[in-house]
Amino acid sequence: MSKGDYVVYERASRDEDRLFLETAKEAVGEIKEPKNWKKPRDPKKHPGGKKVAYDFKTMLLILLLMVYHRKEYREMESHLNNNPHLLKELGLEKSPGKSTIQRAAARISLNTLVRLNDVVVEKFKKSAVLPQRRT
């Protein structure tokens, strides 16, 4: 693959991610944040340290991207680190770590992810793009 081919592939991949995120943001906008999302920290169990709190909807978008790309937690962390345009699209300065993504996945039900993924993918299906033919 020559350098020019790689640039074209990278641009197409970026556009695909952007389109997916635009569609996913519409679906995620209707979901309410669960009450248990922001639990107060116990200073006795977690003294000091730097706490970076990620927004529920942002983590939901990251999990949807993870499902879309069929990636594991470590792969998703690496994908975000290597694609700064994704971080900009998500409104993040720094990529969440694999443990953060894993904890978010544990707090968000699998049914919610499956339902949202179905809604987003439905818009990419051929029948949603092209009008039905009448015979």
Side-chain angles (χ1 to χ4, degrees), residues 53-94:
Y54 290 97
D55 183 34
F56 167 72
K57 292 184 180 185
T58 303
M59 290 308 294
L60 194 53
L61 287 171
I62 290 172
L63 290 172
L64 283 171
L65 266 175
M66 192 174 91
V67 169
Y68 177 70
H69 287 295
R70 296 181 181 152
K71 294 187 181 291
E72 296 292 326
Y73 303 110
R74 289 175 196 224
E75 294 170 328
M76 192 62 201
E77 175 191 18
S78 171
H79 182 68
L80 289 171
N81 281 331
N82 293 324
N83 294 298
H85 69 275
L86 272 178
L87 293 176
K88 286 181 184 177
E89 287 283 331
L90 293 166
L92 298 174
E93 294 177 14
K94 181 182 171 192

Side-chain angles (χ1 to χ4, degrees), residues 9-130:
Y9 171 77
E10 185 178 306
R11 193 174 299 135
S13 175
R14 191 175 349 178
D15 290 343
E16 182 181 335
D17 284 343
R18 185 185 46 75
L19 182 61
F20 179 83
L21 280 175
E22 284 176 5
T23 309
K25 284 178 184 178
E26 292 174 14
V28 168
E30 301 169 6
I31 304 293
K32 292 182 182 177
E33 183 176 305
K35 292 179 183 178
N36 69 344
W37 184 254
K38 293 181 183 175
K39 292 193 281 189
R41 289 175 53 130
D42 185 1
K44 292 179 183 175
K45 288 184 182 178
H46 307 285
K50 201 174 193 182
K51 183 184 176 214
V52 178
Y54 290 97
D55 183 34
F56 167 72
K57 292 184 180 185
T58 303
M59 290 308 294
L60 194 53
L61 287 171
I62 290 172
L63 290 172
L64 283 171
L65 266 175
M66 192 174 91
V67 169
Y68 177 70
H69 287 295
R70 296 181 181 152
K71 294 187 181 291
E72 296 292 326
Y73 303 110
R74 289 175 196 224
E75 294 170 328
M76 192 62 201
E77 175 191 18
S78 171
H79 182 68
L80 289 171
N81 281 331
N82 293 324
N83 294 298
H85 69 275
L86 272 178
L87 293 176
K88 286 181 184 177
E89 287 283 331
L90 293 166
L92 298 174
E93 294 177 14
K94 181 182 171 192
S95 169
K98 73 138 180 97
S99 298
T100 304
I101 297 170
Q102 196 170 14
R103 282 192 301 272
R107 292 174 125 184
I108 297 172
S109 72
L110 187 59
N111 292 335
T112 304
L113 278 177
V114 169
R115 193 176 70 239
L116 279 172
N117 190 49
D118 289 345
V119 168
V120 173
V121 170
E122 184 67 32
K123 294 184 180 186
F124 284 98
K125 289 185 179 177
K126 193 173 185 178
S127 62
V129 176
L130 298 174

